[in-house]
Short mmCIF file of all heavy atoms in Angstrom, two decimals:
data_model
loop_
_atom_site.label_atom_id
_atom_site.label_comp_id
_atom_site.label_asym_id
_atom_site.label_seq_id
_atom_site.Cartn_x
_atom_site.Cartn_y
_atom_site.Cartn_z
N ARG A 14 -11.39 -26.11 17.22
CA ARG A 14 -11.06 -27.35 18.03
C ARG A 14 -11.27 -27.06 19.47
O ARG A 14 -10.43 -26.25 20.10
CB ARG A 14 -9.64 -27.78 17.74
CG ARG A 14 -9.52 -28.76 16.58
CD ARG A 14 -10.17 -28.33 15.35
NE ARG A 14 -10.07 -29.32 14.22
CZ ARG A 14 -10.66 -29.10 13.04
NH1 ARG A 14 -11.30 -28.00 12.80
NH2 ARG A 14 -10.55 -30.04 12.12
N ALA A 15 -12.31 -27.64 20.11
CA ALA A 15 -12.70 -27.25 21.45
C ALA A 15 -12.55 -28.40 22.46
O ALA A 15 -12.77 -28.19 23.69
CB ALA A 15 -14.18 -26.78 21.49
N THR A 16 -12.16 -29.57 22.01
CA THR A 16 -12.00 -30.70 22.94
C THR A 16 -10.61 -31.27 22.83
O THR A 16 -9.87 -31.00 21.90
CB THR A 16 -12.97 -31.82 22.67
OG1 THR A 16 -12.76 -32.35 21.33
CG2 THR A 16 -14.46 -31.30 22.73
N GLU A 17 -10.24 -32.08 23.84
CA GLU A 17 -8.91 -32.60 23.87
C GLU A 17 -8.63 -33.57 22.68
O GLU A 17 -7.57 -33.50 22.04
CB GLU A 17 -8.61 -33.31 25.17
CG GLU A 17 -7.17 -33.77 25.38
CD GLU A 17 -6.90 -34.31 26.75
OE1 GLU A 17 -7.82 -34.20 27.63
OE2 GLU A 17 -5.74 -34.73 26.99
N PRO A 18 -9.58 -34.43 22.37
CA PRO A 18 -9.37 -35.27 21.14
C PRO A 18 -9.18 -34.46 19.86
O PRO A 18 -8.37 -34.74 19.05
CB PRO A 18 -10.61 -36.17 21.11
CG PRO A 18 -11.11 -36.19 22.51
CD PRO A 18 -10.81 -34.81 23.05
N GLU A 19 -10.01 -33.36 19.75
CA GLU A 19 -9.83 -32.52 18.55
C GLU A 19 -8.55 -31.81 18.57
O GLU A 19 -7.97 -31.50 17.48
CB GLU A 19 -11.01 -31.52 18.51
CG GLU A 19 -12.34 -32.12 18.24
CD GLU A 19 -13.43 -31.09 18.27
OE1 GLU A 19 -13.25 -30.01 18.93
OE2 GLU A 19 -14.46 -31.30 17.64
N TRP A 20 -8.03 -31.55 19.75
CA TRP A 20 -6.66 -30.85 19.85
C TRP A 20 -5.58 -31.65 19.31
O TRP A 20 -4.58 -31.11 18.86
CB TRP A 20 -6.45 -30.43 21.29
CG TRP A 20 -5.32 -29.43 21.42
CD1 TRP A 20 -4.12 -29.58 21.87
CD2 TRP A 20 -5.47 -28.02 21.08
NE1 TRP A 20 -3.40 -28.42 21.80
CE2 TRP A 20 -4.22 -27.44 21.35
CE3 TRP A 20 -6.49 -27.23 20.62
CZ2 TRP A 20 -3.95 -26.13 21.15
CZ3 TRP A 20 -6.20 -25.87 20.35
CH2 TRP A 20 -5.01 -25.33 20.61
N GLU A 21 -5.70 -32.98 19.31
CA GLU A 21 -4.66 -33.81 18.75
C GLU A 21 -4.56 -33.56 17.18
O GLU A 21 -3.48 -33.64 16.69
CB GLU A 21 -5.00 -35.29 19.00
CG GLU A 21 -4.76 -35.72 20.42
CD GLU A 21 -3.42 -35.42 20.88
OE1 GLU A 21 -2.42 -35.73 20.15
OE2 GLU A 21 -3.27 -34.93 22.04
N THR A 22 -5.67 -33.18 16.55
CA THR A 22 -5.55 -32.91 15.12
C THR A 22 -4.78 -31.54 14.91
O THR A 22 -4.12 -31.36 13.89
CB THR A 22 -6.98 -32.73 14.50
OG1 THR A 22 -7.66 -31.70 15.11
CG2 THR A 22 -7.77 -34.08 14.72
N VAL A 23 -4.92 -30.62 15.94
CA VAL A 23 -4.14 -29.39 15.85
C VAL A 23 -2.66 -29.71 15.91
O VAL A 23 -1.83 -29.17 15.19
CB VAL A 23 -4.66 -28.46 16.93
CG1 VAL A 23 -3.65 -27.24 17.02
CG2 VAL A 23 -6.07 -27.99 16.80
N ARG A 24 -2.30 -30.63 16.89
CA ARG A 24 -0.88 -30.94 17.04
C ARG A 24 -0.36 -31.58 15.75
O ARG A 24 0.81 -31.24 15.32
CB ARG A 24 -0.77 -31.95 18.16
CG ARG A 24 -1.08 -31.39 19.56
CD ARG A 24 -0.96 -32.45 20.64
NE ARG A 24 -1.43 -32.01 21.92
CZ ARG A 24 -0.66 -31.31 22.76
NH1 ARG A 24 0.55 -31.03 22.48
NH2 ARG A 24 -1.25 -30.94 23.97
N ARG A 25 -1.11 -32.52 15.14
CA ARG A 25 -0.63 -33.15 13.98
C ARG A 25 -0.45 -32.12 12.79
O ARG A 25 0.50 -32.24 12.03
CB ARG A 25 -1.52 -34.29 13.56
CG ARG A 25 -1.49 -35.50 14.52
CD ARG A 25 -2.17 -36.71 13.89
NE ARG A 25 -3.57 -36.47 13.69
CZ ARG A 25 -4.55 -36.79 14.64
NH1 ARG A 25 -4.15 -37.32 15.74
NH2 ARG A 25 -5.78 -36.65 14.37
N LYS A 26 -1.43 -31.25 12.71
CA LYS A 26 -1.35 -30.24 11.64
C LYS A 26 -0.15 -29.33 11.78
O LYS A 26 0.57 -29.09 10.83
CB LYS A 26 -2.67 -29.46 11.59
CG LYS A 26 -2.83 -28.60 10.29
CD LYS A 26 -4.15 -27.92 10.25
CE LYS A 26 -4.44 -27.31 8.92
NZ LYS A 26 -4.51 -28.25 7.81
N LEU A 27 0.05 -28.86 12.99
CA LEU A 27 1.23 -28.01 13.22
C LEU A 27 2.53 -28.73 13.10
O LEU A 27 3.49 -28.15 12.66
CB LEU A 27 1.07 -27.34 14.59
CG LEU A 27 -0.10 -26.35 14.82
CD1 LEU A 27 -0.11 -25.77 16.24
CD2 LEU A 27 -0.03 -25.21 13.81
N ASP A 28 2.54 -30.03 13.46
CA ASP A 28 3.75 -30.80 13.27
C ASP A 28 4.01 -30.92 11.79
O ASP A 28 5.18 -30.87 11.37
CB ASP A 28 3.55 -32.24 13.83
CG ASP A 28 3.59 -32.28 15.33
OD1 ASP A 28 4.17 -31.31 15.92
OD2 ASP A 28 3.14 -33.27 15.97
N GLY A 29 3.01 -31.06 10.98
CA GLY A 29 3.18 -31.12 9.51
C GLY A 29 3.73 -29.80 8.93
O GLY A 29 4.58 -29.87 8.03
N PHE A 30 3.35 -28.72 9.49
CA PHE A 30 3.89 -27.46 9.03
C PHE A 30 5.24 -27.11 9.59
O PHE A 30 6.01 -26.38 9.01
CB PHE A 30 2.89 -26.34 9.48
CG PHE A 30 1.69 -26.15 8.55
CD1 PHE A 30 0.59 -26.94 8.70
CD2 PHE A 30 1.72 -25.18 7.54
CE1 PHE A 30 -0.51 -26.74 7.89
CE2 PHE A 30 0.64 -25.01 6.76
CZ PHE A 30 -0.48 -25.82 6.91
N SER A 31 5.56 -27.69 10.75
CA SER A 31 6.85 -27.35 11.46
C SER A 31 7.76 -28.51 11.19
O SER A 31 8.22 -29.22 12.16
CB SER A 31 6.58 -27.20 12.95
OG SER A 31 5.61 -26.13 13.18
N GLN A 32 8.26 -28.72 9.99
CA GLN A 32 9.33 -29.65 9.73
C GLN A 32 10.66 -29.19 10.20
O GLN A 32 10.87 -28.02 10.38
CB GLN A 32 9.34 -29.94 8.23
CG GLN A 32 8.08 -30.56 7.58
CD GLN A 32 7.76 -31.84 8.20
OE1 GLN A 32 8.58 -32.62 8.55
NE2 GLN A 32 6.41 -32.09 8.31
N GLU A 33 11.55 -30.13 10.43
CA GLU A 33 12.87 -29.82 10.94
C GLU A 33 13.58 -28.90 10.00
O GLU A 33 13.66 -29.13 8.78
CB GLU A 33 13.75 -31.12 11.11
CG GLU A 33 15.10 -30.86 11.72
CD GLU A 33 14.95 -30.44 13.16
OE1 GLU A 33 13.97 -30.84 13.82
OE2 GLU A 33 15.92 -29.79 13.66
N GLY A 34 14.12 -27.75 10.51
CA GLY A 34 14.82 -26.78 9.71
C GLY A 34 13.91 -25.85 8.98
O GLY A 34 14.39 -24.99 8.18
N ALA A 35 12.54 -25.93 9.30
CA ALA A 35 11.62 -25.04 8.58
C ALA A 35 11.88 -23.56 9.02
O ALA A 35 12.29 -23.38 10.15
CB ALA A 35 10.21 -25.49 8.84
N ARG A 36 11.57 -22.65 8.20
CA ARG A 36 11.74 -21.25 8.50
C ARG A 36 10.54 -20.65 9.27
O ARG A 36 10.57 -19.49 9.60
CB ARG A 36 11.99 -20.44 7.25
CG ARG A 36 11.00 -20.54 6.15
CD ARG A 36 11.47 -19.90 4.92
NE ARG A 36 11.62 -18.48 5.08
CZ ARG A 36 10.67 -17.57 4.78
NH1 ARG A 36 9.51 -17.96 4.34
NH2 ARG A 36 10.89 -16.32 4.88
N VAL A 37 9.51 -21.44 9.42
CA VAL A 37 8.32 -21.01 10.25
C VAL A 37 8.14 -22.00 11.40
O VAL A 37 8.13 -23.20 11.18
CB VAL A 37 7.08 -20.97 9.38
CG1 VAL A 37 5.90 -20.52 10.19
CG2 VAL A 37 7.28 -20.05 8.14
N ARG A 38 8.00 -21.45 12.55
CA ARG A 38 7.73 -22.27 13.78
C ARG A 38 6.40 -21.79 14.41
O ARG A 38 6.07 -20.61 14.31
CB ARG A 38 8.86 -22.11 14.75
CG ARG A 38 10.23 -22.55 14.21
CD ARG A 38 10.41 -24.03 13.96
NE ARG A 38 11.68 -24.35 13.36
CZ ARG A 38 12.76 -24.56 14.08
NH1 ARG A 38 12.80 -24.42 15.42
NH2 ARG A 38 13.92 -24.89 13.43
N TYR A 39 5.79 -22.72 15.13
CA TYR A 39 4.55 -22.43 15.82
C TYR A 39 4.60 -22.88 17.27
O TYR A 39 5.22 -23.92 17.53
CB TYR A 39 3.32 -23.13 15.20
CG TYR A 39 3.30 -22.97 13.63
CD1 TYR A 39 3.86 -23.86 12.83
CD2 TYR A 39 2.61 -21.89 13.11
CE1 TYR A 39 3.75 -23.77 11.44
CE2 TYR A 39 2.50 -21.73 11.70
CZ TYR A 39 3.10 -22.68 10.91
OH TYR A 39 3.04 -22.48 9.54
N TRP A 40 4.05 -22.15 18.16
CA TRP A 40 3.76 -22.68 19.55
C TRP A 40 2.56 -22.02 20.10
O TRP A 40 2.19 -20.87 19.73
CB TRP A 40 5.01 -22.65 20.42
CG TRP A 40 5.47 -21.32 20.81
CD1 TRP A 40 5.12 -20.55 21.96
CD2 TRP A 40 6.46 -20.51 20.18
NE1 TRP A 40 5.80 -19.41 22.00
CE2 TRP A 40 6.66 -19.31 20.92
CE3 TRP A 40 7.26 -20.69 18.99
CZ2 TRP A 40 7.56 -18.36 20.60
CZ3 TRP A 40 8.15 -19.68 18.68
CH2 TRP A 40 8.33 -18.54 19.45
N ILE A 41 1.92 -22.73 21.04
CA ILE A 41 0.71 -22.28 21.69
C ILE A 41 0.94 -22.27 23.19
O ILE A 41 1.32 -23.30 23.71
CB ILE A 41 -0.46 -23.19 21.24
CG1 ILE A 41 -0.67 -23.12 19.75
CG2 ILE A 41 -1.75 -22.73 22.00
CD1 ILE A 41 -1.76 -24.05 19.23
N ARG A 42 0.66 -21.17 23.83
CA ARG A 42 0.73 -21.08 25.29
C ARG A 42 -0.64 -21.08 25.86
O ARG A 42 -1.62 -20.38 25.38
CB ARG A 42 1.41 -19.75 25.65
CG ARG A 42 2.88 -19.76 25.17
CD ARG A 42 3.73 -18.73 25.85
NE ARG A 42 3.42 -17.34 25.38
CZ ARG A 42 4.26 -16.33 25.50
NH1 ARG A 42 5.42 -16.48 26.10
NH2 ARG A 42 3.91 -15.12 25.04
N SER A 43 -0.82 -21.91 26.86
CA SER A 43 -2.19 -22.07 27.48
C SER A 43 -1.98 -22.38 28.95
O SER A 43 -0.98 -22.95 29.45
CB SER A 43 -2.90 -23.24 26.85
OG SER A 43 -4.10 -23.59 27.51
N ALA A 44 -2.98 -21.91 29.81
CA ALA A 44 -2.93 -22.26 31.23
C ALA A 44 -3.13 -23.69 31.42
O ALA A 44 -2.69 -24.26 32.47
CB ALA A 44 -4.00 -21.42 31.92
N ASP A 45 -3.77 -24.36 30.48
CA ASP A 45 -4.06 -25.82 30.58
C ASP A 45 -3.06 -26.45 29.56
O ASP A 45 -3.17 -26.33 28.37
CB ASP A 45 -5.47 -26.14 30.20
CG ASP A 45 -5.85 -27.62 30.36
OD1 ASP A 45 -4.89 -28.46 30.54
OD2 ASP A 45 -7.04 -27.93 30.37
N GLN A 46 -2.07 -27.19 30.15
CA GLN A 46 -1.03 -27.80 29.26
C GLN A 46 -1.54 -28.82 28.28
O GLN A 46 -0.83 -29.14 27.35
CB GLN A 46 0.05 -28.43 30.17
CG GLN A 46 0.85 -27.40 30.93
CD GLN A 46 1.47 -26.38 30.06
OE1 GLN A 46 2.20 -26.66 29.08
NE2 GLN A 46 1.27 -25.08 30.35
N ARG A 47 -2.78 -29.31 28.49
CA ARG A 47 -3.35 -30.24 27.54
C ARG A 47 -3.55 -29.50 26.17
O ARG A 47 -3.63 -30.17 25.11
CB ARG A 47 -4.68 -30.75 28.01
CG ARG A 47 -4.54 -31.67 29.26
CD ARG A 47 -5.96 -32.11 29.67
NE ARG A 47 -6.80 -31.01 29.87
CZ ARG A 47 -8.16 -31.06 29.98
NH1 ARG A 47 -8.75 -32.21 29.79
NH2 ARG A 47 -8.89 -29.94 30.20
N PHE A 48 -3.67 -28.19 26.25
CA PHE A 48 -3.92 -27.39 24.99
C PHE A 48 -2.75 -26.47 24.67
O PHE A 48 -2.95 -25.50 23.95
CB PHE A 48 -5.19 -26.58 25.23
CG PHE A 48 -6.45 -27.35 25.40
CD1 PHE A 48 -6.87 -27.77 26.66
CD2 PHE A 48 -7.11 -27.90 24.29
CE1 PHE A 48 -8.02 -28.52 26.82
CE2 PHE A 48 -8.25 -28.71 24.47
CZ PHE A 48 -8.72 -29.03 25.71
N ALA A 49 -1.57 -26.88 25.10
CA ALA A 49 -0.33 -26.17 24.72
C ALA A 49 0.33 -26.89 23.60
O ALA A 49 -0.02 -28.04 23.36
CB ALA A 49 0.57 -26.00 25.91
N TYR A 50 1.20 -26.22 22.91
CA TYR A 50 1.92 -26.87 21.80
C TYR A 50 3.32 -26.18 21.61
O TYR A 50 3.43 -24.97 21.67
CB TYR A 50 1.14 -26.79 20.48
CG TYR A 50 1.87 -27.28 19.28
CD1 TYR A 50 1.92 -28.66 19.03
CD2 TYR A 50 2.58 -26.43 18.46
CE1 TYR A 50 2.63 -29.12 17.98
CE2 TYR A 50 3.35 -26.85 17.40
CZ TYR A 50 3.34 -28.21 17.10
OH TYR A 50 4.08 -28.73 16.08
N GLY A 51 4.23 -27.05 21.32
CA GLY A 51 5.56 -26.62 20.91
C GLY A 51 6.43 -26.16 22.05
O GLY A 51 5.97 -25.94 23.14
N VAL A 52 7.72 -25.98 21.68
CA VAL A 52 8.71 -25.47 22.61
C VAL A 52 9.25 -24.14 22.03
O VAL A 52 9.71 -24.10 20.94
CB VAL A 52 9.86 -26.51 22.77
CG1 VAL A 52 10.94 -25.89 23.71
CG2 VAL A 52 9.34 -27.84 23.28
N PRO A 53 9.16 -23.10 22.88
CA PRO A 53 9.63 -21.79 22.40
C PRO A 53 11.08 -21.84 21.93
O PRO A 53 11.85 -22.69 22.44
CB PRO A 53 9.43 -20.86 23.56
CG PRO A 53 8.34 -21.53 24.36
CD PRO A 53 8.57 -22.98 24.22
N LEU A 54 11.47 -21.02 21.03
CA LEU A 54 12.85 -20.94 20.55
C LEU A 54 13.79 -20.51 21.67
O LEU A 54 13.42 -19.72 22.57
CB LEU A 54 12.92 -19.95 19.39
CG LEU A 54 12.13 -20.37 18.11
CD1 LEU A 54 12.09 -19.11 17.18
CD2 LEU A 54 12.71 -21.50 17.43
N LEU A 55 15.03 -21.01 21.66
CA LEU A 55 16.00 -20.64 22.66
C LEU A 55 16.58 -19.29 22.28
O LEU A 55 17.24 -19.13 21.30
CB LEU A 55 17.13 -21.69 22.67
CG LEU A 55 18.24 -21.59 23.76
CD1 LEU A 55 17.60 -21.56 25.14
CD2 LEU A 55 19.27 -22.61 23.58
N LEU A 56 16.28 -18.33 23.15
CA LEU A 56 16.58 -16.93 22.83
C LEU A 56 17.97 -16.58 23.46
O LEU A 56 18.44 -17.15 24.41
CB LEU A 56 15.51 -15.98 23.38
CG LEU A 56 14.14 -16.25 22.97
CD1 LEU A 56 13.14 -15.17 23.54
CD2 LEU A 56 13.99 -16.29 21.45
N GLU A 57 18.56 -15.51 22.79
CA GLU A 57 19.84 -14.98 23.34
C GLU A 57 19.52 -14.27 24.68
O GLU A 57 18.33 -13.88 24.99
CB GLU A 57 20.37 -13.99 22.33
CG GLU A 57 20.97 -14.50 21.10
CD GLU A 57 22.44 -15.06 21.33
OE1 GLU A 57 22.87 -15.05 22.49
OE2 GLU A 57 23.01 -15.45 20.32
N ASP A 58 20.55 -14.17 25.56
CA ASP A 58 20.33 -13.49 26.81
C ASP A 58 19.88 -12.04 26.62
O ASP A 58 20.37 -11.30 25.74
CB ASP A 58 21.65 -13.42 27.54
CG ASP A 58 22.17 -14.81 27.93
OD1 ASP A 58 21.29 -15.73 27.97
OD2 ASP A 58 23.37 -15.05 28.17
N GLY A 59 18.89 -11.69 27.40
CA GLY A 59 18.37 -10.28 27.34
C GLY A 59 17.19 -10.17 26.38
O GLY A 59 16.59 -9.11 26.28
N TRP A 60 16.89 -11.24 25.63
CA TRP A 60 15.74 -11.19 24.71
C TRP A 60 14.54 -11.98 25.28
O TRP A 60 14.73 -12.96 26.04
CB TRP A 60 16.16 -11.79 23.34
CG TRP A 60 17.06 -10.89 22.53
CD1 TRP A 60 18.43 -10.79 22.75
CD2 TRP A 60 16.71 -10.09 21.45
NE1 TRP A 60 18.92 -9.90 21.84
CE2 TRP A 60 17.90 -9.48 21.00
CE3 TRP A 60 15.55 -9.79 20.76
CZ2 TRP A 60 17.93 -8.58 19.98
CZ3 TRP A 60 15.55 -8.93 19.74
CH2 TRP A 60 16.77 -8.33 19.31
#
């Protein structure tokens, strides 16, 4: 997926995999926020 419209399919697919309470989570870090995904887990202090 190399374009912004195609990236929407990535978001939908990862949303489908990341149901509430699921034991697997996904996120994508990118310099361009248009191609970022998800919110990182809230970590304990020092982690």
